[in-house]
Amino acid sequence: MKKTFFSLFIISLTFSAIAQSAPGSYVAAVKKFTVLYNDDKPDSIYNMFGPEMTAALTKDKFKATMTGLKEQFGNLMETTLVSYKEPVAVYKASFQTTTLGMNIRLNNANQIIGLYFGQLKTASQAGDNTGAKFAAAASANTPVDPSVIESPMVHKTLSATLHGTYTLPKDVSGKLPVVLIIAGSGPTDRDGNSSKVDLETNAYKYLAWGLAKQGIASLRYDKRMVGESETGNKEADLRFDDYVDDAVGLIQMLAADDRFSKVIVLGHSEGSLVGMLACRDQPVKGFISLAGAGDRADRILTEQLKSKPQYQQDEFKTLLDSMKKGKTIDNIDPRMYYIARPSVQRYLISWFRYEPARIIKMLKMPILIIQGNTDLQVSTADADKLKKAKSEATEIIIPNMNHVLKDAPADRDQNLATYNKPDLPLKAELVPDVVKFVNGLN
């Protein structure tokens, strides 16, 4: 049977939509849902479902999800209609500890055939899917683990507002070590997903949950201009150092938080270099490079382009020569836009000047380098280069772990298939390796 879960993201929401009136059947259904939810009667809520929902979601699975929702966020205090476009109504659902979007759809018999908690969308954005599709739309995201506690984070800088998620063990005793998880390149969000590049892994979410189960807190966040993190900047204004400055601010925030005993920084992929730079002269007790490049970004991109036609390689070389002199080129082949469109060239220039092996050598704290040997984007040679630059660092090569931290073969097609299988767990060795390193820090 196909698994169907409810997405339970902790997010900060802004509501600009003007509420329309909803049919009385929706008002009654939401009111009844609220009463039954607050009275801990998930079975009674399940009895409100139409056949499209019951076929896609078992009663036990729904009950477990509602129990986790209740433990996580408490009672549902208020529901406010945001928008209605037949047949979907969208509500602002205010729980005791957070606010979520609640999308609901009814059939002609006034049975619930669509129910979704997560990021707020208007009824138009939710679409006019069939009940089965709407119910299944939430299956891409795993429910909140009831053994952990998650809460929203908002951090404001001069040019951005960063949104993220704290994850802590449910049973907290004393101060905890906290890991700052820095996402990889591109529009990758706090959970390791991106709708813009067809990436859905839940990798950072699983990592946070795995750490919490072992008594280690974490903070993962949406980079500026990604997910819920707001910024007034345009793509052309973004620089690599903006990411570094954001990470520095979060490190300082965590270090000042009385809940935490020590701060550890974990950077994945491009986030490894961001983390290295952010750690310098900051109160960080340990650094973890996870699938981090060992070479400069311009060399990596040049290597990756060797699989492209020669004319693209030649054009990129010309562009690189120009960028190394601090100059951009506006008139480039549109087929090169994915890698070096004019609006990102200044960002690339700011990124290319950093040599990871040189930066890691400057760090004073204990370092763990983790790399999978079926990673299609970063090789074990990169890990070896970082280790060579910092001989006292611990290097771990995890067999059959790919770039999105899942168990994957070397075969390219099968490997890439894991980039869109969010239910796949992390490679089994990853969390224990991180936990061992964190617990060994003074």
Side-chain angles (χ1 to χ4, degrees):
M1 179 179 292
K2 185 174 182 179
K3 295 181 179 178
T4 301
F5 302 128
F6 293 106
S7 173
L8 304 177
F9 290 127
I10 301 174
I11 51 179
S12 297
L13 300 173
T14 56
F15 302 95
S16 58
I18 299 176
Q20 309 168 44
S21 60
S25 57
Y26 281 77
V27 176
V30 171
K31 183 177 180 179
K32 185 176 181 180
F33 174 91
T34 302
V35 171
L36 294 175
Y37 169 83
N38 290 339
D39 287 345
D40 297 320
K41 296 179 178 179
D43 288 350
S44 296
I45 297 175
Y46 193 84
N47 291 336
M48 298 170 63
F49 289 172
E52 296 91 337
M53 284 287 282
T54 56
L57 182 68
T58 66
K59 181 179 289 189
D60 287 344
K61 180 61 69 175
F62 176 73
K63 184 175 181 179
T65 302
M66 288 296 99
T67 300
L69 185 69
K70 188 70 170 290
E71 291 179 351
Q72 189 80 18
F73 304 130
N75 282 342
L76 179 54
M77 310 303 293
E78 183 180 16
T79 56
T80 304
L81 181 68
V82 175
S83 64
Y84 172 75
K85 181 180 179 182
E86 188 179 0
V88 180
V90 177
Y91 288 81
K92 170 186 173 183
S94 300
F95 293 85
Q96 285 178 298
T97 62
T98 195
T99 299
L100 299 173
M102 175 183 176
N103 294 2
I104 185 169
R105 179 182 176 182
L106 306 181
N107 61 16
N108 291 333
N110 296 328
Q111 297 171 313
I112 297 174
I113 57 172
L115 184 63
Y116 176 88
F117 289 94
Q119 183 175 353
L120 183 76
K121 294 182 178 180
T122 66
S124 296
Q125 292 170 328
D128 186 18
N129 298 321
T130 65
K133 288 183 178 178
F134 190 21
S139 67
N141 298 297
T142 311
V144 167
D145 190 314
S147 68
V148 307
I149 298 174
E150 295 198 317
S151 58
M153 181 283 301
V154 179
H155 177 73
K156 294 186 177 181
T157 72
L158 292 176
S159 57
T161 299
L162 304 177
H163 291 261
T165 301
Y166 290 109
T167 305
L168 283 75
K170 185 176 180 181
D171 298 318
V172 178
S173 178
K175 292 187 175 184
L176 301 173
V178 61
V179 176
L180 176 65
I181 301 172
I182 304 175
S185 60
T188 308
D189 69 15
R190 74 188 79 174
D191 292 330
N193 304 325
S194 175
S195 59
K196 294 182 179 179
V197 295
D198 197 25
L199 179 71
E200 197 162 23
T201 70
N202 285 333
Y204 306 146
K205 182 191 296 186
Y206 289 147
L207 178 58
W209 294 355
L211 294 176
K213 291 178 180 179
Q214 298 300 318
I216 299 171
S218 66
L219 171 63
R220 63 191 193 273
Y221 63 101
D222 295 335
K223 299 180 297 183
R224 60 170 63 203
M225 300 177 66
V226 174
E228 296 298 314
S229 292
E230 304 166 5
T231 177
N233 293 344
K234 297 179 180 178
E235 185 177 66
D237 299 323
L238 185 65
R239 302 292 183 270
F240 192 82
D241 289 336
D242 292 331
Y243 289 151
V244 177
D245 291 342
D246 291 343
V248 168
L250 293 173
I251 289 170
Q252 294 174 348
M253 180 187 72
L254 293 174
D257 194 320
D258 290 338
R259 294 176 296 173
F260 306 127
S261 59
K262 55 192 172 187
V263 179
I264 299 92
V265 173
L266 182 151
H268 175 241
S269 188
E270 181 190 66
S272 172
L273 179 56
V274 173
M276 288 181 205
L277 291 164
C279 282
R280 298 176 301 175
D281 303 318
Q282 296 300 321
V284 174
K285 294 297 184 180
F287 171 69
I288 302 170
S289 173
L290 180 56
D295 215 339
R296 267 204 337 252
D298 58 315
R299 295 173 187 152
I300 294 173
L301 293 177
T302 299
E303 185 65 27
Q304 290 177 350
L305 280 170
K306 287 184 177 179
S307 62
K308 301 295 182 181
Q310 187 62 46
Y311 77 90
Q312 288 192 14
Q313 297 181 48
D314 294 340
E315 182 165 0
F316 187 67
K317 183 180 184 303
T318 300
L319 182 56
L320 272 183
D321 291 340
S322 177
M323 288 193 291
K324 287 178 181 178
K325 298 175 183 177
K327 298 179 181 179
T328 61
I329 299 178
D330 292 336
N331 187 20
I332 66 171
D333 190 319
R335 284 171 289 188
M336 295 292 291
Y337 269 42
Y338 77 99
I339 194 171
R341 56 192 174 277
S343 59
V344 301
Q345 289 177 22
R346 289 292 178 187
Y347 175 82
L348 294 176
I349 291 172
S350 69
W351 183 20
F352 291 164
R353 64 192 182 95
Y354 291 116
E355 185 89 48
R358 187 175 299 169
I359 301 300
I360 200 171
K361 192 173 184 178
M362 299 166 59
L363 301 184
K364 306 299 183 183
M365 71 288 296
I367 296 171
L368 174 62
I369 300 166
I370 301 179
Q371 179 61 50
N373 72 353
T374 55
D375 190 325
L376 300 176
Q377 295 163 256
V378 179
S379 70
T380 56
D382 286 280
D384 293 342
K385 188 167 186 176
L386 294 176
K387 168 66 174 177
K388 184 177 180 181
K390 194 70 174 179
S391 59
E392 59 267 44
T394 299
E395 179 184 11
I396 297 177
I397 305 298
I398 298 181
N400 299 318
M401 185 177 79
N402 69 357
H403 196 67
V404 294
L405 316 179
K406 306 297 181 77
D407 192 320
D411 177 80
R412 183 176 181 83
D413 290 341
Q414 295 181 57
N415 194 306
L416 291 175
T418 68
Y419 285 48
N420 277 285
K421 292 183 178 179
D423 291 336
L424 283 180
L426 298 178
K427 192 70 172 72
E429 298 93 324
L430 178 59
V431 170
D433 285 339
V434 174
V435 170
K436 182 178 180 180
F437 174 76
V438 172
N439 288 339
L441 298 172
N442 295 322

